[in-house]
Amino acid sequence: MKILIVEDEKGLAEALGEILKREGYSVDLAFDGKSGLEKVLTGRYDCMILDIMLPLMNGLDVLSYIRVKEMDIPVLLLTAKSEVEDKINGLDCGADDYLTKPFETGELLARIRAISRRLNSSPDINPKFGDITLELKKCELICGGNTVVLGRKEFRMMELLISNTGHIVTKETFVNEIWESGDESAYNNVEVYISFLRKKLQLIHSGVQIKTRRGIGYCLEGS
Ligand code: CA
């Protein structure tokens, strides 16, 4: 997957580029709206990460332009602002998703993965295990007629557990994928979030359980 990053803070753009390259994506950078637009119009990219406040042409104008041209490339907007109005404008212009700066690397990667899944998706790609289904677009966990919304971290944890069915997901994996900093508090957070997930599984009356493998990590056991 080839990703175009359009971001005028060079340090941030380059750091993002390095992170994405390490994850196996191929990456190109543009540092202003105009050259970003020129690049994306070549059609060589699968996804664009687009800052809103940009020199020469702002991100929303770039986005409107490519949507008018009927390019359906997924666009993840970056914004330093968290105002609701920006988000509404961005969605109106055809953004697929948002990240408000500053953001965690793990969150960015999760959004990119979600976008790439949508790209490659057949209609039903929601991960399933036992009697549960993880509804990707709505961040919901479903069992029969029961549904519960998951927080972002809970969602990522459940996604990791389901995609590693039959294997143990280590605490390190959760910390690295979701929390970034590997300090003591992140490790404690894993336990806290696992307990949230267990409660939510009970709430939807699922037979699936998150088993603790003491000193190693967690795995799903299904009904
Ligand atoms: Ca900017």
Side-chain angles (χ1 to χ4, degrees):
M1 186 159 126
K2 197 165 173 62
I3 301 176
L4 176 64
I5 300 172
V6 189
E7 164 62 75
D8 60 314
E9 289 167 54
K10 277 196 175 177
L12 176 60
E14 279 159 6
L16 284 179
E18 285 311 309
I19 289 161
L20 291 170
K21 280 180 198 162
R22 276 206 300 274
E23 296 291 315
Y25 298 106
S26 93
V27 178
D28 242 348
L29 306 179
F31 303 117
D32 66 74
K34 202 160 161 280
S35 63
L37 179 63
E38 281 164 12
K39 284 191 169 172
V40 74
L41 287 175
T42 63
R44 288 190 288 124
Y45 303 95
D46 303 302
C47 173
M48 175 160 64
I49 298 173
L50 180 64
D51 190 26
I52 291 185
M53 303 294 278
L54 286 169
L56 301 183
M57 185 172 184
N58 90 41
L60 293 180
D61 290 340
V62 172
L63 182 56
S64 301
Y65 189 90
I66 64 170
R67 292 307 187 225
V68 167
K69 293 280 173 195
E70 295 188 344
M71 286 187 81
D72 58 359
I73 179 172
V75 174
L76 177 62
L77 274 183
L78 296 183
T79 171
K81 303 176 187 174
S82 56
E83 279 95 10
V84 176
E85 199 179 317
D86 266 351
K87 299 190 175 175
I88 294 168
N89 284 340
L91 289 176
D92 282 347
C93 290
D96 294 81
D97 210 345
Y98 267 96
L99 269 182
T100 304
K101 292 190 266 187
F103 49 84
E104 293 174 23
T105 310
E107 196 174 3
L108 171 79
L109 293 175
R111 304 288 180 93
I112 298 281
R113 276 192 292 269
I115 284 175
S116 68
R117 266 194 306 269
R118 257 175 264 153
L119 278 179
N120 305 320
S121 67
S122 54
D124 188 15
I125 46 134
N126 293 323
K128 293 180 173 56
F129 177 77
D131 56 12
I132 57 172
T133 301
L134 196 57
E135 164 65 60
L136 295 172
K137 285 187 182 165
K138 296 188 199 159
C139 275
E140 289 172 349
L141 192 60
I142 300 166
C143 174
N146 302 315
T147 296
V148 64
V149 176
L150 300 183
R152 224 165 264 295
K153 288 189 168 66
E154 295 168 347
F155 177 83
R156 281 290 298 132
M157 290 179 82
M158 188 51 85
E159 202 182 17
L160 281 170
L161 285 165
I162 293 180
S163 63
N164 289 284
T165 298
H167 301 277
I168 294 168
V169 182
T170 63
K171 278 192 170 183
E172 284 78 12
T173 304
F174 285 123
V175 169
N176 292 338
E177 287 270 334
I178 301 167
W179 271 273
E180 298 300 298
S181 77
D183 59 16
E184 194 67 30
S185 68
Y187 282 80
N188 293 335
N189 274 333
V190 172
E191 285 172 30
V192 172
Y193 278 80
I194 287 285
S195 75
F196 291 162
L197 279 174
R198 283 178 173 144
K199 286 194 185 109
K200 291 194 170 177
L201 283 167
Q202 284 174 6
L203 204 68
I204 56 171
H205 306 296
S206 168
V208 173
Q209 293 187 319
I210 303 172
K211 294 288 184 186
T212 304
R213 297 285 174 259
R214 209 153 288 288
I216 309 172
Y218 304 90
C219 65
L220 288 184
E221 275 183 20
S223 57

